[in-house]
Amino acid sequence: MHDRGADGGDYGIGPGDVAEADLTTRRGLFRAVAFRDPVDGHEHLALVRGEVGGREGVLVRMHSECMTGDIFGATRCECGDQLGAALDALVREGAGVLVYLRGHEGRGIGLVAKVRTHVLQDDHGLDTVDSATAIGLPVDVRDYGAAARVLRHLGVGSVRLLSNNPAKVAALESYGIEVAARLPLLVPVSDDNVRYLTAKRDRLGHDLPQLDEERLDEARG
């Protein structure tokens, strides 16, 4: 099954838009599947651990690009920690896919705009939602079609999705990928990320039970 656009065109990943090679990392060997998506035009990367073709319930993480968190270790978000935790989960499982999605910076608004929202958060106390709308931008414009297309390319049947965001389940299933389960990918609450996590829970519907546990611990203390 391939995705079709409004013009009826077939948008599966073509052989000229993909390259594969082994990638040895600190966590061991992965297969790096770089691909240029025919719809969004971005070059994305799927890191594949073990054999996933023809399997059901494959462990999958759709990870949105976050330069500040993934590369530089920023602590105001949990992105870098989630990236590492997802790769660790694939290693423990022995098989799975992490799809690293480019063009998703700042939930799709881009790096410059994201940094501008940080100023509003730091200087004016706005949360991650209101700081985006304050500069006239949408809260979330990410699309997960590219992830669905590469999973189909890899022959993945159904997935167990590593995510705290129920909306990702609906988004992936809208592209014809069955989500057999959603598995939490929780990181500890800190002084640096608590405002961000709280906004994601209260404003964006993410499932983050560790925030309630943190509140209980404070009450007991």
PDB file of all heavy atoms in Angstrom, residues 56-95:
ATOM      1  N   GLU A  56       5.418  -8.477  12.779  1.00  0.00           N
ATOM      2  CA  GLU A  56       4.333  -7.722  13.404  1.00  0.00           C
ATOM      3  C   GLU A  56       4.803  -7.209  14.763  1.00  0.00           C
ATOM      4  O   GLU A  56       5.669  -7.795  15.403  1.00  0.00           O
ATOM      5  CB  GLU A  56       3.091  -8.610  13.584  1.00  0.00           C
ATOM      6  CG  GLU A  56       2.568  -9.224  12.293  1.00  0.00           C
ATOM      7  CD  GLU A  56       2.022  -8.202  11.334  1.00  0.00           C
ATOM      8  OE1 GLU A  56       1.497  -7.157  11.802  1.00  0.00           O
ATOM      9  OE2 GLU A  56       2.119  -8.401  10.118  1.00  0.00           O
ATOM     10  N   GLY A  57       4.198  -6.112  15.203  1.00  0.00           N
ATOM     11  CA  GLY A  57       4.519  -5.574  16.518  1.00  0.00           C
ATOM     12  C   GLY A  57       5.954  -5.116  16.664  1.00  0.00           C
ATOM     13  O   GLY A  57       6.549  -5.236  17.736  1.00  0.00           O
ATOM     14  N   VAL A  58       6.521  -4.562  15.603  1.00  0.00           N
ATOM     15  CA  VAL A  58       7.906  -4.094  15.640  1.00  0.00           C
ATOM     16  C   VAL A  58       8.004  -2.853  16.531  1.00  0.00           C
ATOM     17  O   VAL A  58       7.184  -1.937  16.449  1.00  0.00           O
ATOM     18  CB  VAL A  58       8.400  -3.764  14.217  1.00  0.00           C
ATOM     19  CG1 VAL A  58       9.791  -3.158  14.254  1.00  0.00           C
ATOM     20  CG2 VAL A  58       8.385  -5.028  13.360  1.00  0.00           C
ATOM     21  N   LEU A  59       9.022  -2.823  17.374  1.00  0.00           N
ATOM     22  CA  LEU A  59       9.242  -1.669  18.242  1.00  0.00           C
ATOM     23  C   LEU A  59       9.719  -0.491  17.384  1.00  0.00           C
ATOM     24  O   LEU A  59      10.721  -0.592  16.667  1.00  0.00           O
ATOM     25  CB  LEU A  59      10.277  -2.013  19.306  1.00  0.00           C
ATOM     26  CG  LEU A  59      10.392  -1.063  20.499  1.00  0.00           C
ATOM     27  CD1 LEU A  59       9.089  -1.035  21.294  1.00  0.00           C
ATOM     28  CD2 LEU A  59      11.552  -1.486  21.406  1.00  0.00           C
ATOM     29  N   VAL A  60       8.995   0.632  17.457  1.00  0.00           N
ATOM     30  CA  VAL A  60       9.276   1.773  16.586  1.00  0.00           C
ATOM     31  C   VAL A  60       9.220   3.071  17.391  1.00  0.00           C
ATOM     32  O   VAL A  60       8.334   3.262  18.225  1.00  0.00           O
ATOM     33  CB  VAL A  60       8.260   1.849  15.412  1.00  0.00           C
ATOM     34  CG1 VAL A  60       8.350   3.194  14.690  1.00  0.00           C
ATOM     35  CG2 VAL A  60       8.491   0.705  14.442  1.00  0.00           C
ATOM     36  N   ARG A  61      10.165   3.937  17.104  1.00  0.00           N
ATOM     37  CA  ARG A  61      10.138   5.300  17.621  1.00  0.00           C
ATOM     38  C   ARG A  61      10.147   6.264  16.436  1.00  0.00           C
ATOM     39  O   ARG A  61      11.029   6.177  15.575  1.00  0.00           O
ATOM     40  CB  ARG A  61      11.365   5.562  18.511  1.00  0.00           C
ATOM     41  CG  ARG A  61      11.619   7.042  18.851  1.00  0.00           C
ATOM     42  CD  ARG A  61      10.587   7.609  19.766  1.00  0.00           C
ATOM     43  NE  ARG A  61      10.883   9.027  20.106  1.00  0.00           N
ATOM     44  CZ  ARG A  61      10.037   9.827  20.735  1.00  0.00           C
ATOM     45  NH1 ARG A  61       8.857   9.372  21.112  1.00  0.00           N
ATOM     46  NH2 ARG A  61      10.360  11.066  20.998  1.00  0.00           N
ATOM     47  N   MET A  62       9.166   7.154  16.350  1.00  0.00           N
ATOM     48  CA  MET A  62       9.185   8.261  15.400  1.00  0.00           C
ATOM     49  C   MET A  62       9.711   9.467  16.160  1.00  0.00           C
ATOM     50  O   MET A  62       9.028  10.016  17.023  1.00  0.00           O
ATOM     51  CB  MET A  62       7.786   8.548  14.856  1.00  0.00           C
ATOM     52  CG  MET A  62       7.148   7.396  14.116  1.00  0.00           C
ATOM     53  SD  MET A  62       5.650   7.896  13.220  1.00  0.00           S
ATOM     54  CE  MET A  62       4.613   8.549  14.559  1.00  0.00           C
ATOM     55  N   HIS A  63      10.943   9.871  15.868  1.00  0.00           N
ATOM     56  CA  HIS A  63      11.584  10.925  16.651  1.00  0.00           C
ATOM     57  C   HIS A  63      11.712  12.189  15.825  1.00  0.00           C
ATOM     58  O   HIS A  63      12.360  12.205  14.773  1.00  0.00           O
ATOM     59  CB  HIS A  63      12.961  10.477  17.125  1.00  0.00           C
ATOM     60  CG  HIS A  63      13.565  11.399  18.139  1.00  0.00           C
ATOM     61  ND1 HIS A  63      13.301  11.298  19.488  1.00  0.00           N
ATOM     62  CD2 HIS A  63      14.394  12.461  18.004  1.00  0.00           C
ATOM     63  CE1 HIS A  63      13.951  12.233  20.142  1.00  0.00           C
ATOM     64  NE2 HIS A  63      14.624  12.973  19.255  1.00  0.00           N
ATOM     65  N   SER A  64      11.103  13.262  16.304  1.00  0.00           N
ATOM     66  CA  SER A  64      11.172  14.538  15.621  1.00  0.00           C
ATOM     67  C   SER A  64      12.507  15.227  15.889  1.00  0.00           C
ATOM     68  O   SER A  64      12.959  15.306  17.039  1.00  0.00           O
ATOM     69  CB  SER A  64      10.029  15.447  16.088  1.00  0.00           C
ATOM     70  OG  SER A  64       8.777  14.929  15.689  1.00  0.00           O
ATOM     71  N   GLU A  65      13.112  15.719  14.834  1.00  0.00           N
ATOM     72  CA  GLU A  65      14.382  16.430  14.928  1.00  0.00           C
ATOM     73  C   GLU A  65      14.328  17.532  15.983  1.00  0.00           C
ATOM     74  O   GLU A  65      13.402  18.336  16.019  1.00  0.00           O
ATOM     75  CB  GLU A  65      14.679  17.042  13.559  1.00  0.00           C
ATOM     76  CG  GLU A  65      15.886  17.947  13.507  1.00  0.00           C
ATOM     77  CD  GLU A  65      16.034  18.601  12.148  1.00  0.00           C
ATOM     78  OE1 GLU A  65      15.013  18.806  11.463  1.00  0.00           O
ATOM     79  OE2 GLU A  65      17.180  18.895  11.776  1.00  0.00           O
ATOM     80  N   CYS A  66      15.356  17.567  16.853  1.00  0.00           N
ATOM     81  CA  CYS A  66      15.488  18.641  17.852  1.00  0.00           C
ATOM     82  C   CYS A  66      16.974  18.896  18.033  1.00  0.00           C
ATOM     83  O   CYS A  66      17.640  18.209  18.813  1.00  0.00           O
ATOM     84  CB  CYS A  66      14.842  18.234  19.178  1.00  0.00           C
ATOM     85  SG  CYS A  66      15.078  19.457  20.500  1.00  0.00           S
ATOM     86  N   MET A  67      17.496  19.857  17.290  1.00  0.00           N
ATOM     87  CA  MET A  67      18.935  20.114  17.328  1.00  0.00           C
ATOM     88  C   MET A  67      19.414  20.455  18.735  1.00  0.00           C
ATOM     89  O   MET A  67      20.433  19.941  19.210  1.00  0.00           O
ATOM     90  CB  MET A  67      19.307  21.231  16.361  1.00  0.00           C
ATOM     91  CG  MET A  67      20.802  21.525  16.330  1.00  0.00           C
ATOM     92  SD  MET A  67      21.255  22.904  15.248  1.00  0.00           S
ATOM     93  CE  MET A  67      20.902  22.195  13.653  1.00  0.00           C
ATOM     94  N   THR A  68      18.678  21.313  19.428  1.00  0.00           N
ATOM     95  CA  THR A  68      19.134  21.757  20.745  1.00  0.00           C
ATOM     96  C   THR A  68      19.168  20.601  21.745  1.00  0.00           C
ATOM     97  O   THR A  68      20.089  20.504  22.551  1.00  0.00           O
ATOM     98  CB  THR A  68      18.236  22.882  21.276  1.00  0.00           C
ATOM     99  OG1 THR A  68      16.857  22.472  21.194  1.00  0.00           O
ATOM    100  CG2 THR A  68      18.425  24.151  20.463  1.00  0.00           C
ATOM    101  N   GLY A  69      18.174  19.731  21.687  1.00  0.00           N
ATOM    102  CA  GLY A  69      18.119  18.620  22.631  1.00  0.00           C
ATOM    103  C   GLY A  69      18.925  17.413  22.203  1.00  0.00           C
ATOM    104  O   GLY A  69      19.667  16.826  23.009  1.00  0.00           O
ATOM    105  N   ASP A  70      18.816  17.038  20.936  1.00  0.00           N
ATOM    106  CA  ASP A  70      19.451  15.806  20.453  1.00  0.00           C
ATOM    107  C   ASP A  70      20.962  15.938  20.341  1.00  0.00           C
ATOM    108  O   ASP A  70      21.702  15.001  20.642  1.00  0.00           O
ATOM    109  CB  ASP A  70      18.895  15.421  19.074  1.00  0.00           C
ATOM    110  CG  ASP A  70      17.412  15.118  19.097  1.00  0.00           C
ATOM    111  OD1 ASP A  70      16.884  14.812  20.186  1.00  0.00           O
ATOM    112  OD2 ASP A  70      16.775  15.184  18.025  1.00  0.00           O
ATOM    113  N   ILE A  71      21.437  17.099  19.879  1.00  0.00           N
ATOM    114  CA  ILE A  71      22.872  17.276  19.622  1.00  0.00           C
ATOM    115  C   ILE A  71      23.577  17.947  20.797  1.00  0.00           C
ATOM    116  O   ILE A  71      24.638  17.497  21.245  1.00  0.00           O
ATOM    117  CB  ILE A  71      23.094  18.097  18.337  1.00  0.00           C
ATOM    118  CG1 ILE A  71      22.510  17.348  17.135  1.00  0.00           C
ATOM    119  CG2 ILE A  71      24.585  18.376  18.118  1.00  0.00           C
ATOM    120  CD1 ILE A  71      22.577  18.115  15.826  1.00  0.00           C
ATOM    121  N   PHE A  72      22.969  19.028  21.313  1.00  0.00           N
ATOM    122  CA  PHE A  72      23.662  19.840  22.317  1.00  0.00           C
ATOM    123  C   PHE A  72      23.221  19.542  23.747  1.00  0.00           C
ATOM    124  O   PHE A  72      23.729  20.153  24.691  1.00  0.00           O
ATOM    125  CB  PHE A  72      23.474  21.324  21.998  1.00  0.00           C
ATOM    126  CG  PHE A  72      24.048  21.705  20.662  1.00  0.00           C
ATOM    127  CD1 PHE A  72      23.232  22.083  19.616  1.00  0.00           C
ATOM    128  CD2 PHE A  72      25.416  21.641  20.441  1.00  0.00           C
ATOM    129  CE1 PHE A  72      23.762  22.422  18.375  1.00  0.00           C
ATOM    130  CE2 PHE A  72      25.956  21.971  19.201  1.00  0.00           C
ATOM    131  CZ  PHE A  72      25.135  22.367  18.171  1.00  0.00           C
ATOM    132  N   GLY A  73      22.275  18.627  23.905  1.00  0.00           N
ATOM    133  CA  GLY A  73      21.906  18.208  25.251  1.00  0.00           C
ATOM    134  C   GLY A  73      21.132  19.223  26.053  1.00  0.00           C
ATOM    135  O   GLY A  73      21.239  19.250  27.282  1.00  0.00           O
ATOM    136  N   ALA A  74      20.353  20.076  25.393  1.00  0.00           N
ATOM    137  CA  ALA A  74      19.539  21.050  26.120  1.00  0.00           C
ATOM    138  C   ALA A  74      18.606  20.335  27.089  1.00  0.00           C
ATOM    139  O   ALA A  74      18.040  19.280  26.771  1.00  0.00           O
ATOM    140  CB  ALA A  74      18.726  21.897  25.136  1.00  0.00           C
ATOM    141  N   THR A  75      18.415  20.926  28.271  1.00  0.00           N
ATOM    142  CA  THR A  75      17.623  20.263  29.314  1.00  0.00           C
ATOM    143  C   THR A  75      16.228  20.860  29.466  1.00  0.00           C
ATOM    144  O   THR A  75      15.470  20.409  30.324  1.00  0.00           O
ATOM    145  CB  THR A  75      18.355  20.346  30.663  1.00  0.00           C
ATOM    146  OG1 THR A  75      18.648  21.720  30.970  1.00  0.00           O
ATOM    147  CG2 THR A  75      19.663  19.560  30.608  1.00  0.00           C
ATOM    148  N   ARG A  76      15.873  21.856  28.651  1.00  0.00           N
ATOM    149  CA  ARG A  76      14.532  22.440  28.759  1.00  0.00           C
ATOM    150  C   ARG A  76      13.483  21.522  28.125  1.00  0.00           C
ATOM    151  O   ARG A  76      12.290  21.693  28.368  1.00  0.00           O
ATOM    152  CB  ARG A  76      14.496  23.832  28.146  1.00  0.00           C
ATOM    153  CG  ARG A  76      14.586  23.853  26.638  1.00  0.00           C
ATOM    154  CD  ARG A  76      14.784  25.282  26.124  1.00  0.00           C
ATOM    155  NE  ARG A  76      13.735  26.162  26.568  1.00  0.00           N
ATOM    156  CZ  ARG A  76      13.913  27.449  26.878  1.00  0.00           C
ATOM    157  NH1 ARG A  76      15.115  27.974  26.786  1.00  0.00           N
ATOM    158  NH2 ARG A  76      12.905  28.200  27.252  1.00  0.00           N
ATOM    159  N   CYS A  77      13.903  20.594  27.302  1.00  0.00           N
ATOM    160  CA  CYS A  77      12.999  19.592  26.724  1.00  0.00           C
ATOM    161  C   CYS A  77      13.557  18.212  27.045  1.00  0.00           C
ATOM    162  O   CYS A  77      14.675  18.075  27.532  1.00  0.00           O
ATOM    163  CB  CYS A  77      12.861  19.772  25.210  1.00  0.00           C
ATOM    164  SG  CYS A  77      14.374  19.409  24.293  1.00  0.00           S
ATOM    165  N   GLU A  78      12.783  17.176  26.736  1.00  0.00           N
ATOM    166  CA  GLU A  78      13.223  15.813  27.020  1.00  0.00           C
ATOM    167  C   GLU A  78      13.663  15.077  25.770  1.00  0.00           C
ATOM    168  O   GLU A  78      13.884  13.864  25.779  1.00  0.00           O
ATOM    169  CB  GLU A  78      12.112  15.045  27.750  1.00  0.00           C
ATOM    170  CG  GLU A  78      11.047  14.382  26.889  1.00  0.00           C
ATOM    171  CD  GLU A  78       9.900  15.276  26.511  1.00  0.00           C
ATOM    172  OE1 GLU A  78      10.152  16.450  26.123  1.00  0.00           O
ATOM    173  OE2 GLU A  78       8.762  14.813  26.585  1.00  0.00           O
ATOM    174  N   CYS A  79      13.847  15.809  24.664  1.00  0.00           N
ATOM    175  CA  CYS A  79      14.079  15.172  23.370  1.00  0.00           C
ATOM    176  C   CYS A  79      15.348  14.323  23.338  1.00  0.00           C
ATOM    177  O   CYS A  79      15.336  13.177  22.877  1.00  0.00           O
ATOM    178  CB  CYS A  79      14.121  16.225  22.271  1.00  0.00           C
ATOM    179  SG  CYS A  79      12.624  17.217  22.165  1.00  0.00           S
ATOM    180  N   GLY A  80      16.456  14.886  23.809  1.00  0.00           N
ATOM    181  CA  GLY A  80      17.697  14.133  23.793  1.00  0.00           C
ATOM    182  C   GLY A  80      17.633  12.883  24.649  1.00  0.00           C
ATOM    183  O   GLY A  80      18.117  11.814  24.253  1.00  0.00           O
ATOM    184  N   ASP A  81      17.019  13.004  25.819  1.00  0.00           N
ATOM    185  CA  ASP A  81      16.867  11.838  26.691  1.00  0.00           C
ATOM    186  C   ASP A  81      15.983  10.782  26.049  1.00  0.00           C
ATOM    187  O   ASP A  81      16.250   9.572  26.154  1.00  0.00           O
ATOM    188  CB  ASP A  81      16.269  12.259  28.036  1.00  0.00           C
ATOM    189  CG  ASP A  81      17.245  13.041  28.895  1.00  0.00           C
ATOM    190  OD1 ASP A  81      18.470  12.912  28.666  1.00  0.00           O
ATOM    191  OD2 ASP A  81      16.795  13.781  29.784  1.00  0.00           O
ATOM    192  N   GLN A  82      14.924  11.209  25.382  1.00  0.00           N
ATOM    193  CA  GLN A  82      14.043  10.249  24.720  1.00  0.00           C
ATOM    194  C   GLN A  82      14.755   9.547  23.574  1.00  0.00           C
ATOM    195  O   GLN A  82      14.551   8.349  23.348  1.00  0.00           O
ATOM    196  CB  GLN A  82      12.794  10.951  24.206  1.00  0.00           C
ATOM    197  CG  GLN A  82      11.781  11.273  25.289  1.00  0.00           C
ATOM    198  CD  GLN A  82      10.477  11.756  24.698  1.00  0.00           C
ATOM    199  OE1 GLN A  82      10.450  12.614  23.817  1.00  0.00           O
ATOM    200  NE2 GLN A  82       9.385  11.210  25.164  1.00  0.00           N
ATOM    201  N   LEU A  83      15.570  10.284  22.831  1.00  0.00           N
ATOM    202  CA  LEU A  83      16.312   9.678  21.733  1.00  0.00           C
ATOM    203  C   LEU A  83      17.213   8.561  22.245  1.00  0.00           C
ATOM    204  O   LEU A  83      17.223   7.445  21.704  1.00  0.00           O
ATOM    205  CB  LEU A  83      17.130  10.749  21.014  1.00  0.00           C
ATOM    206  CG  LEU A  83      18.001  10.284  19.847  1.00  0.00           C
ATOM    207  CD1 LEU A  83      17.163   9.656  18.749  1.00  0.00           C
ATOM    208  CD2 LEU A  83      18.806  11.464  19.302  1.00  0.00           C
ATOM    209  N   GLY A  84      17.963   8.853  23.301  1.00  0.00           N
ATOM    210  CA  GLY A  84      18.832   7.834  23.872  1.00  0.00           C
ATOM    211  C   GLY A  84      18.060   6.661  24.437  1.00  0.00           C
ATOM    212  O   GLY A  84      18.440   5.495  24.246  1.00  0.00           O
ATOM    213  N   ALA A  85      16.946   6.950  25.125  1.00  0.00           N
ATOM    214  CA  ALA A  85      16.146   5.881  25.719  1.00  0.00           C
ATOM    215  C   ALA A  85      15.529   4.993  24.648  1.00  0.00           C
ATOM    216  O   ALA A  85      15.422   3.764  24.823  1.00  0.00           O
ATOM    217  CB  ALA A  85      15.048   6.471  26.602  1.00  0.00           C
ATOM    218  N   ALA A  86      15.126   5.586  23.532  1.00  0.00           N
ATOM    219  CA  ALA A  86      14.541   4.800  22.453  1.00  0.00           C
ATOM    220  C   ALA A  86      15.580   3.865  21.838  1.00  0.00           C
ATOM    221  O   ALA A  86      15.295   2.687  21.574  1.00  0.00           O
ATOM    222  CB  ALA A  86      13.961   5.725  21.388  1.00  0.00           C
ATOM    223  N   LEU A  87      16.787   4.365  21.608  1.00  0.00           N
ATOM    224  CA  LEU A  87      17.843   3.510  21.060  1.00  0.00           C
ATOM    225  C   LEU A  87      18.191   2.385  22.033  1.00  0.00           C
ATOM    226  O   LEU A  87      18.405   1.237  21.621  1.00  0.00           O
ATOM    227  CB  LEU A  87      19.079   4.352  20.738  1.00  0.00           C
ATOM    228  CG  LEU A  87      18.923   5.323  19.565  1.00  0.00           C
ATOM    229  CD1 LEU A  87      20.125   6.263  19.494  1.00  0.00           C
ATOM    230  CD2 LEU A  87      18.743   4.576  18.249  1.00  0.00           C
ATOM    231  N   ASP A  88      18.225   2.703  23.321  1.00  0.00           N
ATOM    232  CA  ASP A  88      18.475   1.654  24.318  1.00  0.00           C
ATOM    233  C   ASP A  88      17.386   0.584  24.271  1.00  0.00           C
ATOM    234  O   ASP A  88      17.664  -0.611  24.411  1.00  0.00           O
ATOM    235  CB  ASP A  88      18.536   2.262  25.722  1.00  0.00           C
ATOM    236  CG  ASP A  88      19.794   3.099  25.948  1.00  0.00           C
ATOM    237  OD1 ASP A  88      20.769   2.932  25.197  1.00  0.00           O
ATOM    238  OD2 ASP A  88      19.778   3.923  26.889  1.00  0.00           O
ATOM    239  N   ALA A  89      16.145   1.014  24.085  1.00  0.00           N
ATOM    240  CA  ALA A  89      15.028   0.064  24.020  1.00  0.00           C
ATOM    241  C   ALA A  89      15.156  -0.853  22.810  1.00  0.00           C
ATOM    242  O   ALA A  89      14.875  -2.058  22.893  1.00  0.00           O
ATOM    243  CB  ALA A  89      13.696   0.819  23.986  1.00  0.00           C
ATOM    244  N   LEU A  90      15.587  -0.305  21.675  1.00  0.00           N
ATOM    245  CA  LEU A  90      15.771  -1.139  20.484  1.00  0.00           C
ATOM    246  C   LEU A  90      16.867  -2.175  20.711  1.00  0.00           C
ATOM    247  O   LEU A  90      16.749  -3.325  20.272  1.00  0.00           O
ATOM    248  CB  LEU A  90      16.124  -0.269  19.279  1.00  0.00           C
ATOM    249  CG  LEU A  90      15.108   0.768  18.811  1.00  0.00           C
ATOM    250  CD1 LEU A  90      15.564   1.385  17.496  1.00  0.00           C
ATOM    251  CD2 LEU A  90      13.721   0.189  18.676  1.00  0.00           C
ATOM    252  N   VAL A  91      17.929  -1.761  21.391  1.00  0.00           N
ATOM    253  CA  VAL A  91      19.020  -2.693  21.669  1.00  0.00           C
ATOM    254  C   VAL A  91      18.544  -3.815  22.589  1.00  0.00           C
ATOM    255  O   VAL A  91      18.830  -4.994  22.361  1.00  0.00           O
ATOM    256  CB  VAL A  91      20.220  -1.938  22.284  1.00  0.00           C
ATOM    257  CG1 VAL A  91      21.273  -2.930  22.786  1.00  0.00           C
ATOM    258  CG2 VAL A  91      20.828  -0.988  21.255  1.00  0.00           C
ATOM    259  N   ARG A  92      17.797  -3.458  23.633  1.00  0.00           N
ATOM    260  CA  ARG A  92      17.272  -4.491  24.533  1.00  0.00           C
ATOM    261  C   ARG A  92      16.344  -5.445  23.797  1.00  0.00           C
ATOM    262  O   ARG A  92      16.369  -6.655  24.035  1.00  0.00           O
ATOM    263  CB  ARG A  92      16.523  -3.845  25.710  1.00  0.00           C
ATOM    264  CG  ARG A  92      17.409  -3.154  26.718  1.00  0.00           C
ATOM    265  CD  ARG A  92      16.640  -2.845  27.996  1.00  0.00           C
ATOM    266  NE  ARG A  92      15.475  -2.011  27.740  1.00  0.00           N
ATOM    267  CZ  ARG A  92      15.489  -0.683  27.753  1.00  0.00           C
ATOM    268  NH1 ARG A  92      16.611  -0.038  28.001  1.00  0.00           N
ATOM    269  NH2 ARG A  92      14.378   0.000  27.526  1.00  0.00           N
ATOM    270  N   GLU A  93      15.526  -4.906  22.929  1.00  0.00           N
ATOM    271  CA  GLU A  93      14.567  -5.712  22.176  1.00  0.00           C
ATOM    272  C   GLU A  93      15.261  -6.619  21.171  1.00  0.00           C
ATOM    273  O   GLU A  93      14.784  -7.720  20.871  1.00  0.00           O
ATOM    274  CB  GLU A  93      13.588  -4.786  21.445  1.00  0.00           C
ATOM    275  CG  GLU A  93      12.527  -5.480  20.626  1.00  0.00           C
ATOM    276  CD  GLU A  93      11.289  -5.816  21.435  1.00  0.00           C
ATOM    277  OE1 GLU A  93      11.262  -5.496  22.647  1.00  0.00           O
ATOM    278  OE2 GLU A  93      10.364  -6.396  20.855  1.00  0.00           O
ATOM    279  N   GLY A  94      16.367  -6.140  20.632  1.00  0.00           N
ATOM    280  CA  GLY A  94      17.077  -6.903  19.612  1.00  0.00           C
ATOM    281  C   GLY A  94      16.624  -6.599  18.197  1.00  0.00           C
ATOM    282  O   GLY A  94      17.264  -7.033  17.237  1.00  0.00           O
ATOM    283  N   ALA A  95      15.524  -5.887  18.059  1.00  0.00           N
ATOM    284  CA  ALA A  95      15.011  -5.541  16.734  1.00  0.00           C
ATOM    285  C   ALA A  95      14.079  -4.345  16.867  1.00  0.00           C
ATOM    286  O   ALA A  95      13.354  -4.221  17.856  1.00  0.00           O
ATOM    287  CB  ALA A  95      14.270  -6.714  16.095  1.00  0.00           C
TER     288      ALA A  95
END
